[in-house]
Amino acid sequence: MKSLHLRIMLIFSFIIVAAGGLLSYQIYASSLSLITRSLGEQARSVAEHAVRQIDPVSYRKLAEELTENAYYKELRLKFNDMREANHLKYLYTMGARSKGESTEYFYVVDGMPLDTQSGDFSPLGKVETELHEPLKKAFRDREVQVGELTKDESYGALVTVYVPILTSTGEFIGVLGADMDATSVYELLAANQRKVLLMSAAILLASLAAIYAVSRMIVTPVLRLTREMEKVQDGDLTVTIQVKGRDEVSRLAGTFQQMVYVLKDMIYGVQESVHDMRQATALLSSSAEETSASSERIAGHLAETASDSRVQLQCTGETARAIGEVGEGVQRIADALAIVAEASQEATDAAKTGDELIQSAVSQMAVVQDSSRDTAEDVERLKQRTDEVSQIAEMMRAIASQTNLLALNAAIEAARAGEHGLGFHVVADQVRKLAVQSEESALRIGELIDAMVADTGKVVTGVHRQVREVDTGLGLIDSAGTAFGRILQETERVGSQVQELSAVSEEIATGSEQVTASADELERLSLQSSEHQQGIAAAADKQQEAMRRMADLSGTLEEMSVRMEQLIRQFTVEK
């Protein structure tokens, strides 16, 4: 049964029919009880008066002998007069006797006229075969019994009263029965019953008409609201519901209209969020491409720097070996002053060679310094780009959170709509899932960006430390070049200043030890710089891999935004 109108009609019709039936039955039962009680009291009064007219002694003799004597005729006349005077149909007395294990009841005096035919009254001693429960109860309990209103074809409608007949000593000798004629009352009850049924039918028809009108007043706006809700279910959010009146249906229509407005604003907000998400995705993709290109450039610079560091390390080794040779020459000068001239010449040649090597190392260190500074600048720009990408990822997380909140609000409103909001609930659930996926992707991008920022910070720190170490090495090499210059000058003056050869040899030995220590330190720093360059190159490779993953995530995010747009296109909203 799908029609609310029909259900209202059937339910209220059933209620009215049941109420009318119960009311009619109650009226009939109350009337019947009242009439029975009234007639019974009247019959009882007559019966008690008739009992007082009986002589117990004469009646006992009559009941025992069962012979029609003068007293029998006297009682019949009295009973007949009372019967006619009080509009009784029958007035009679009865007795009881045992017959085996059972009891039979017989008539003693029947208050009908003396000239009544034998078939119209009950003669003395006639046994009654149709026994009523009030009669048996009157003999058993020896108390007054008032029967119900009965009707049969033989006696008609009657109300019977049974009064016990007692002697002056209280001995029970029989029962007097009085049948009050209730035919007219019974007919009146039947007529009233027909009137009640007719009135009930009229009331039912009037009630059905009123129910039909009221149900149409209720169902018509509900049907109109249902049609508008079906349009909304199909995705049309441009519907406008005319709200009239202040009843529950009108308030329901107004609430539904407000829900449509809220849903329209929500869908419009989701559309704008999806548009912003697509723009952010495009910006993120562009930034990822720029960052990837910067990473490739950094990797190239780092590869060149690593190559220069290997050359630097080789030059530093050669410088260390040359300085070692100088130290050995100075030692030989100190040990053998006899061959000072020859050793001075060899020292001069070695000093020239060392000066050339130092100048070459200085030039190479300058190149390394410029390359390190370029690398530091590139890494600083990479850090700035990474900060921008981090801000974009934060904006994507905020958009995803807003979308998730909007999807939650849509699910709440769909749940309030009940069965008609199932379609919105599915859409809201899909939007919420997409928002959760967007937020998870944004969080993953944020984690990658944070890791990249940490690695970039390490690279920046390493590059700055490398620049400082290169500056330190360059200063040491400059110092070594100055020392070699002094060595060359002193060696050229050896020939003319042999008398000062011993003192000069000691100074050269001391300077040689310092230069050797500086060369060893420079070699260590060069080796450390090479290791740092390799670490920077590895970090650049990781950064490039992270950029590729970021680009892949950007593509996934763009696909998600396209799917969200396809879902939103199912709704028609006015901007």
Side-chain angles (χ1 to χ4, degrees):
M1 189 182 299
K2 297 182 178 180
S3 175
L4 179 62
H5 189 194
L6 183 58
R7 279 188 287 181
I8 292 175
M9 290 285 295
L10 291 178
I11 291 173
F12 280 95
S13 298
F14 175 77
I15 292 174
I16 291 174
V17 170
L22 290 175
L23 182 61
S24 300
Y25 174 77
Q26 184 66 28
I27 292 173
Y28 177 78
S30 299
S31 301
L32 181 62
S33 175
L34 177 63
I35 292 172
T36 301
R37 196 163 51 246
S38 176
L39 293 178
E41 289 298 327
Q42 184 179 355
R44 176 178 178 176
S45 177
V46 174
E48 289 177 347
H49 177 70
V51 167
R52 288 194 294 270
Q53 303 300 318
I54 298 175
D55 180 15
V57 177
S58 301
Y59 182 79
R60 169 182 282 184
K61 181 178 179 182
L62 177 64
E64 290 175 352
E65 295 178 355
L66 296 178
T67 303
E68 296 184 1
N69 52 24
Y71 186 70
Y72 170 76
K73 295 180 180 179
E74 180 183 352
L75 279 181
R76 282 191 64 177
L77 292 174
K78 289 182 179 181
F79 285 173
N80 183 52
D81 293 338
M82 286 187 288
R83 181 182 64 79
E84 292 178 349
N86 294 280
H87 304 288
L88 295 177
K89 193 166 187 177
Y90 300 104
L91 183 63
Y92 51 89
T93 62
M94 297 186 69
R97 60 191 172 199
S98 299
K99 187 177 182 180
E101 296 181 357
S102 61
T103 301
E104 64 178 8
Y105 302 92
F106 58 92
Y107 288 93
V108 179
V109 178
D110 187 353
M112 297 299 288
L114 294 177
D115 56 353
T116 303
Q117 300 295 325
S118 61
D120 294 333
F121 79 104
S122 299
L124 179 64
K126 180 182 178 182
V127 178
E128 178 62 60
T129 57
E130 298 180 1
L131 298 177
H132 301 286
E133 184 62 27
L135 175 63
K136 293 190 291 184
K137 193 172 182 181
F139 276 98
R140 183 175 64 250
D141 299 338
R142 299 178 181 181
E143 293 179 352
V144 177
Q145 300 293 326
V146 180
E148 299 293 334
L149 177 63
T150 59
K151 183 178 185 301
D152 56 29
E153 295 180 358
S154 301
Y155 301 104
L158 300 173
V159 175
T160 303
V161 175
Y162 297 101
V163 178
I165 303 173
L166 304 176
T167 64
S168 59
T169 59
E171 182 181 358
F172 179 77
I173 58 176
V175 170
L176 183 142
D179 295 338
M180 180 67 70
D181 188 4
T183 303
S184 59
V185 174
Y186 196 85
E187 292 176 352
L188 181 60
L189 280 177
N192 289 335
Q193 186 177 11
R194 288 192 295 271
K195 290 180 181 179
V196 169
L197 290 177
L198 291 175
M199 291 176 62
S200 299
I203 292 173
L204 176 61
L205 292 176
S207 301
L208 289 177
I211 291 171
Y212 179 80
V214 172
S215 63
R216 282 193 61 85
M217 291 173 59
I218 296 174
V219 172
T220 300
V222 171
L223 293 176
R224 185 168 60 250
L225 178 60
T226 302
R227 289 193 295 269
E228 300 299 332
M229 293 177 71
E230 289 175 351
K231 292 181 182 179
V232 175
Q233 184 179 4
D234 294 334
D236 185 6
L237 298 180
T238 61
V239 298
T240 302
I241 301 173
Q242 298 296 330
V243 179
K244 297 180 180 179
R246 297 182 179 179
D247 55 3
E248 289 78 3
V249 178
S250 299
R251 290 199 295 270
L252 175 62
T255 303
F256 177 74
Q257 184 66 63
Q258 292 299 322
M259 185 193 72
V260 172
Y261 289 154
V262 171
L263 186 59
K264 184 190 301 182
D265 293 339
M266 183 190 68
I267 296 298
Y268 183 67
V270 171
Q271 286 179 345
E272 292 182 346
S273 299
V274 170
H275 180 67
D276 294 339
M277 185 185 296
R278 294 196 65 180
Q279 291 180 349
T281 303
L283 182 59
L284 177 62
S285 178
S286 177
S287 299
E289 292 176 358
E290 293 178 1
T291 305
S292 179
S294 299
S295 299
E296 292 178 358
R297 289 196 300 271
I298 291 172
H301 290 311
L302 290 176
E304 294 177 359
T305 303
S307 178
D308 293 341
S309 297
R310 286 194 294 271
V311 175
Q312 177 186 353
L313 182 60
Q314 183 179 0
C315 292
T316 303
E318 293 176 356
T319 302
R321 287 193 298 273
I323 293 173
E325 293 176 358
V326 172
E328 292 175 359
V330 172
Q331 187 64 37
R332 284 195 299 273
I333 292 172
D335 293 338
L337 291 175
I339 55 173
V340 170
E342 183 179 358
S344 296
Q345 185 64 38
E346 292 177 356
T348 300
D349 295 338
K352 290 179 179 180
T353 304
D355 185 69
E356 293 174 358
L357 292 174
I358 287 298
Q359 293 299 324
S360 177
V362 169
S363 300
Q364 189 64 40
M365 288 301 293
V367 173
V368 172
Q369 185 180 25
D370 294 336
S371 177
S372 297
R373 288 175 179 171
D374 293 339
T375 301
E377 293 176 357
D378 290 337
V379 170
E380 287 292 338
R381 286 194 298 272
L382 174 61
K383 185 177 180 181
Q384 294 176 0
R385 292 293 186 183
T386 305
D387 292 338
E388 294 177 359
V389 173
S390 178
Q391 294 175 0
I392 293 172
E394 185 64 25
M395 182 176 66
M396 289 174 59
R397 283 197 295 270
I399 292 172
S401 298
Q402 183 180 4
T403 304
N404 192 9
L405 180 60
L406 291 172
L408 178 60
N409 290 332
I412 292 173
E413 294 299 331
R416 290 180 180 176
E419 181 180 359
H420 300 289
L422 292 178
F424 308 136
H425 181 75
V426 174
V427 174
D429 190 57
Q430 293 298 322
V431 171
R432 184 180 63 80
K433 290 181 180 179
L434 292 176
V436 171
Q437 293 176 1
S438 300
E439 189 172 5
E440 291 175 354
S441 300
L443 290 174
R444 179 58 181 164
I445 291 172
E447 292 174 358
L448 293 174
I449 290 173
D450 292 339
M452 185 175 67
V453 168
D455 293 338
T456 305
K458 293 179 181 178
V459 171
V460 171
T461 303
V463 169
H464 286 305
R465 186 166 58 249
Q466 178 189 0
V467 171
R468 291 194 298 270
E469 289 172 356
V470 169
D471 291 337
T472 302
L474 186 59
L476 293 174
I477 291 176
D478 289 335
S479 299
T482 303
F484 270 98
R486 289 199 303 273
I487 292 171
L488 182 59
Q489 292 174 2
E490 294 297 330
T491 303
E492 290 175 348
R493 295 171 59 189
V494 167
S496 60
Q497 297 180 356
V498 176
Q499 63 275 13
E500 297 179 0
L501 181 60
S502 178
V504 173
S505 298
E506 291 178 0
E507 292 177 0
I508 293 174
T510 303
S512 177
E513 290 176 358
Q514 294 177 354
V515 171
T516 301
S518 299
D520 292 339
E521 182 65 20
L522 179 60
E523 183 178 8
R524 185 185 66 80
L525 292 176
S526 299
L527 180 60
Q528 186 176 0
S529 176
S530 178
E531 292 176 353
H532 288 166
Q533 295 294 338
Q534 292 177 358
I536 292 172
D541 292 337
K542 291 183 180 179
Q543 181 181 5
Q544 191 171 5
E545 179 64 25
M547 288 300 102
R548 284 196 293 270
R549 288 199 298 269
M550 195 186 329
D552 295 338
L553 289 174
S554 298
T556 302
L557 189 59
E558 186 173 3
E559 292 177 358
M560 291 168 59
S561 64
V562 170
R563 290 210 311 269
M564 289 180 67
E565 284 185 345
Q566 291 175 352
L567 288 173
I568 293 171
R569 287 196 192 99
Q570 296 178 3
F571 295 94
T572 303
V573 298
E574 294 178 350
K575 296 184 179 180

